[in-house]
Amino acid sequence: MDFELAGEITNIQTIAINLSIRDRRRLWRWYGKGRWRKLKGEATVRLPSGNLRYAEVHWYEAHGIGKKEFKITKFLD
């Protein structure tokens, strides 16, 4: 993650659950087995340059493991 979240994530939607996640085997191997979900939402992010942008972010999340691998998919501002 080459950015940091500068605010709360809003408009959170689940886009894939467990077996429908293509990278689930890699997630199991790297972070452990769990009921993985892929989610998306909108948040203000701070880029390495220091600029604040409003963006759509995607990440993986599992109960007991937490949120992993945030990425920006597009800027919304």
Side-chain angles (χ1 to χ4, degrees), residues 9-26:
I9 302 172
T10 59
N11 296 330
I12 297 172
Q13 297 177 352
T14 301
I15 54 178
I17 297 175
N18 212 12
L19 296 178
S20 59
I21 298 173
R22 281 189 267 169
D23 288 341
R24 74 178 184 279
R25 290 179 190 220
R26 182 184 57 79

Side-chain angles (χ1 to χ4, degrees), residues 5-10 41-45 53-57 76:
L5 296 173
E8 288 187 28
I9 302 172
T10 59
E42 299 170 0
T44 302
V45 296
R53 301 283 307 264
Y54 192 63
E56 181 178 308
V57 293
L76 301 174

Side-chain angles (χ1 to χ4, degrees), residues 23 26-27 30-31 58-60 67-71:
D23 288 341
R26 182 184 57 79
L27 293 169
W30 287 14
Y31 304 112
H58 288 199
W59 71 95
Y60 296 105
K67 298 175 181 173
K68 303 289 182 184
E69 300 185 13
F70 280 88
K71 68 179 178 183

Side-chain angles (χ1 to χ4, degrees), residues 36-47:
W36 286 96
R37 298 182 300 157
K38 186 173 184 178
L39 299 120
K40 71 176 183 179
E42 299 170 0
T44 302
V45 296
R46 184 182 318 276
L47 301 175

